[in-house]
Amino acid sequence: MEPVYYPVIGLARTIFALQGLKFAVKGDENIPATGGAVIAINHTGYMDFTYAGLPARTTGRYIRFMAKKEVFDNSISGPIMRALKHIPVDRAAGAESYHEAVNRLRAGELVGVYPEATISRSFELKEFKSGAARMAIEAGVPIIPIVIWGAQRVWTKGFPKRLGRTNTPISIAVGKPISPFEPASALTEQLHKTMSEMLLDLQKDYVHEPSAYWVPARLGGSAPTLEEANAMDAAEAAEKAARRAQTE
């Protein structure tokens, strides 16, 4: 029984309808009806995790997302996240959340992760962290890749949110399960390759607005290149570190 998750999904679907979001989902049959699996999702916007859960509902399942601890500390979002049984991640001490995720996977849960760790400003796939692969190997469960395209138009880093009625098309593809194998670095590489191919496939049939901020430079948009975006991320991280050092 999911006394909180089920009505929250119903509310989310109502909001999506009011926003006029147009979802195109393919490959949802790749979500297993039972058993644990790591759900690996690309990260282009703040709302993409809400869309990533839609394919799982085909088999009546729920995804427990790993999210930064600050979301759980918030007085509004915290109680909701805990009620939905999501997993808090303290980036300064991630071992506890990692072990919790592995335990959930062994118990037959679907655990959602962002291998890129942060939003991609370029909307291209960033370099992947190895956590998804290591969890799959340790728990003995497959990785199921999910790629979302269009979520960055609703709300992404550095741009105003567009939560009104925008009629935005959002494409979602679910890939075939990838069985775990060692080493984790090779599995991570395979996951990145698979999701890159899936993203290119989704983009082929999507209408892109020339010079738009949400369109990758590769497709004629004004988004930074992956290299430029990485430099921006590095500068931001350095600035945060300097602020922390000043505070301490």
Side-chain angles (χ1 to χ4, degrees), residues 67-145:
K68 59 184 180 180
K69 179 178 175 290
E70 290 80 357
V71 179
F72 290 80
D73 293 338
N74 184 278
S75 60
I76 297 174
S77 61
I80 298 173
M81 295 293 282
R82 284 187 286 274
L84 298 178
K85 303 176 187 175
H86 295 318
I87 303 169
V89 178
D90 184 346
R91 290 178 178 172
E96 184 177 345
S97 57
Y98 173 87
H99 292 306
E100 176 62 22
V102 170
N103 288 336
R104 299 279 193 95
L105 291 166
R106 286 172 172 163
E109 295 263 27
L110 302 178
V111 174
V113 300
Y114 292 122
E116 298 166 280
T118 59
I119 288 175
S120 172
R121 300 175 193 256
S122 69
F123 311 122
E124 306 282 10
L125 287 185
K126 293 164 61 71
E127 182 179 351
F128 281 8
K129 306 294 184 184
S130 64
R134 289 187 291 111
M135 286 190 294
I137 292 169
E138 188 167 340
V141 300
I143 303 177
I144 299 175

Side-chain angles (χ1 to χ4, degrees), residues 2-245:
E2 294 285 346
V4 178
Y5 215 142
Y6 184 79
V8 165
I9 287 177
L11 175 61
R13 286 180 180 272
T14 300
I15 293 172
F16 297 160
L18 292 173
Q19 292 175 309
L21 302 182
K22 304 177 195 290
F23 292 99
V25 181
K26 61 181 180 180
D28 50 355
E29 69 277 3
N30 290 318
I31 302 287
T34 60
V38 176
I39 308 296
I41 311 150
N42 69 317
H43 204 5
T44 62
Y46 293 109
M47 301 302 294
D48 43 26
F49 80 96
T50 64
Y51 312 141
L54 294 177
R57 297 306 300 143
T58 300
T59 54
R61 302 201 65 185
Y62 301 89
I63 301 176
R64 313 301 179 185
F65 289 96
M66 300 186 75
K68 59 184 180 180
K69 179 178 175 290
E70 290 80 357
V71 179
F72 290 80
D73 293 338
N74 184 278
S75 60
I76 297 174
S77 61
I80 298 173
M81 295 293 282
R82 284 187 286 274
L84 298 178
K85 303 176 187 175
H86 295 318
I87 303 169
V89 178
D90 184 346
R91 290 178 178 172
E96 184 177 345
S97 57
Y98 173 87
H99 292 306
E100 176 62 22
V102 170
N103 288 336
R104 299 279 193 95
L105 291 166
R106 286 172 172 163
E109 295 263 27
L110 302 178
V111 174
V113 300
Y114 292 122
E116 298 166 280
T118 59
I119 288 175
S120 172
R121 300 175 193 256
S122 69
F123 311 122
E124 306 282 10
L125 287 185
K126 293 164 61 71
E127 182 179 351
F128 281 8
K129 306 294 184 184
S130 64
R134 289 187 291 111
M135 286 190 294
I137 292 169
E138 188 167 340
V141 300
I143 303 177
I144 299 175
I146 292 185
V147 171
I148 302 171
W149 191 242
Q152 73 272 26
R153 300 177 65 177
V154 178
W155 187 11
T156 194
K157 193 169 190 175
F159 293 92
K161 58 179 77 73
R162 300 171 66 244
L163 302 178
R165 189 170 184 83
T166 60
N167 300 316
T168 301
I170 296 176
S171 299
I172 305 173
V174 183
K176 294 184 182 302
I178 302 173
S179 297
F181 61 86
E182 296 191 78
S185 58
L187 180 55
T188 300
E189 184 179 341
Q190 178 60 52
L191 177 63
H192 192 285
K193 179 177 182 293
T194 298
M195 292 179 68
S196 295
E197 293 170 352
M198 291 170 61
L199 181 58
L200 290 175
D201 185 61
L202 274 189
Q203 291 170 338
K204 282 191 307 186
D205 298 323
Y206 200 97
V207 178
H208 295 98
E209 180 185 338
S211 301
Y213 74 87
W214 56 269
V215 178
R218 171 177 53 82
L219 296 175
S222 60
T225 64
L226 181 58
E227 293 73 20
E228 291 168 341
N230 286 340
M232 293 166 68
D233 288 341
E236 182 180 71
E239 185 180 338
K240 286 181 179 177
R243 284 201 301 267
R244 280 196 302 269

